[in-house]
Amino acid sequence: PNAGLNLSNVDINGTSNVALDVAIDLDRLNISNSSIKNSGNNALMVRNASIPTVVVKGSTLENNTNDGIYIEAIEGILLQNNTVKNNGGFGIQVLGSPNATIDSGTIKQNDAYGGNIDIKINKTSTNATAEKIDIGSSTNTNTKVSFDGKDINVGGIQSPAEVPPALSGSLNNISRYAEADIGPAGYLNLTIHYQDADVNDESSLALWRNPGGNYWKKVFQQDGTTIN
């Protein structure tokens, strides 16, 4: 049988290339309470291997040249309560990896392609879910999102499009924003979480989207969107 690999309280800083690259068959891979910073490429890669159990939790992947976490052809990975920020590529990129779960944690201010794309799920990574991910401050503190989908990019947005004066005078903006791109083979069910202090009357709460420019469109219930 294949061996397992358990890494805990590991600190990797300043490697010239990929800091940790796992591409061999294992019984399990557990990474916890570890730190990977300032690498010259991706911080963590797990790819093209048979590993029934992959768990990365409680770890920090920060200030790396490319992706914080790169996953390819791995089924059922769990990424739990990690901090993935200020990386030059995607925060988390998931390719061809069904049943990926991203649970809690902070994933923000990652800079793939000059944008703010924190999480990328490609079209063959089916049944991917994320739950209560802190994507940064927007113009309000600790904005969190949950979602399921595929062929998507999701991230925080620090400078949202301006709300037109005709709307700003009639709406009370709670300043919770997320950015999402959906590819031709994709779908996205997105929840933007808010705090009790954000609203006085939840019955009037609505979600709006900006398809481009200085234009905002209300997302209605019949579009399959619920307010949460």
Side-chain angles (χ1 to χ4, degrees):
N2 300 312
L5 179 61
N6 297 306
L7 300 174
S8 182
N9 298 302
V10 173
D11 186 2
I12 303 174
N13 195 336
T15 61
S16 61
N17 206 318
V18 176
L20 183 58
D21 187 356
V22 181
I24 59 172
D25 293 346
L26 297 167
D27 283 341
R28 67 191 179 281
L29 171 64
N30 294 313
I31 301 172
S32 63
N33 303 316
S34 294
S35 174
I36 304 177
K37 298 180 180 180
N38 304 308
S39 73
N41 201 314
N42 299 320
L44 170 63
M45 298 181 71
V46 185
R47 58 195 176 95
N48 303 318
S50 175
I51 311 176
T53 301
V54 179
V55 178
V56 182
K57 65 179 181 180
S59 296
T60 297
L61 304 101
E62 183 177 1
N63 295 327
N64 298 284
T65 301
N66 289 326
D67 296 351
I69 300 176
Y70 176 99
I71 306 298
E72 183 176 3
I74 300 293
E75 183 169 358
I77 190 167
L78 171 61
L79 307 174
Q80 186 174 50
N81 197 29
N82 298 295
T83 297
V84 187
K85 65 180 183 179
N86 297 327
N87 296 291
F90 300 103
I92 296 173
Q93 182 170 195
V94 182
L95 305 177
S97 301
N99 304 313
T101 299
I102 307 170
D103 179 19
S104 63
T106 297
I107 307 168
K108 66 181 183 180
Q109 298 171 356
N110 298 286
D111 199 32
Y113 304 120
N116 195 32
I117 305 174
D118 295 309
I119 302 171
K120 177 181 178 65
I121 310 290
N122 83 334
K123 65 182 180 181
T124 55
S125 297
T126 54
N127 301 318
T129 62
E131 183 67 25
K132 293 189 176 179
I133 306 302
D134 184 345
I135 57 170
S137 62
S138 295
T139 52
N140 207 334
T141 57
N142 304 113
T143 295
K144 294 183 179 182
V145 298
S146 298
F147 64 84
D148 63 88
K150 65 175 184 177
D151 198 11
I152 54 174
N153 298 322
V154 177
I157 181 167
Q158 305 303 311
S159 300
E162 183 180 354
V163 176
L167 291 179
S168 62
S170 61
L171 299 176
N172 181 19
N173 186 357
I174 69 170
S175 299
R176 301 282 181 189
Y177 296 92
E179 184 168 359
D181 298 316
I182 306 173
Y187 73 91
L188 174 65
N189 296 316
L190 175 69
T191 296
I192 300 178
H193 299 275
Y194 59 88
Q195 299 176 7
D196 290 343
D198 291 340
V199 295
N200 295 320
D201 180 8
E202 288 186 325
S203 66
S204 64
L205 191 63
L207 184 66
W208 294 68
R209 66 183 180 93
N210 172 235
N214 190 20
Y215 171 71
W216 289 84
K217 179 182 178 182
K218 188 176 182 179
V219 180
F220 293 100
Q221 295 293 123
Q222 57 262 39
D223 288 341
T225 299
T226 56
I227 306 304
N228 218 328

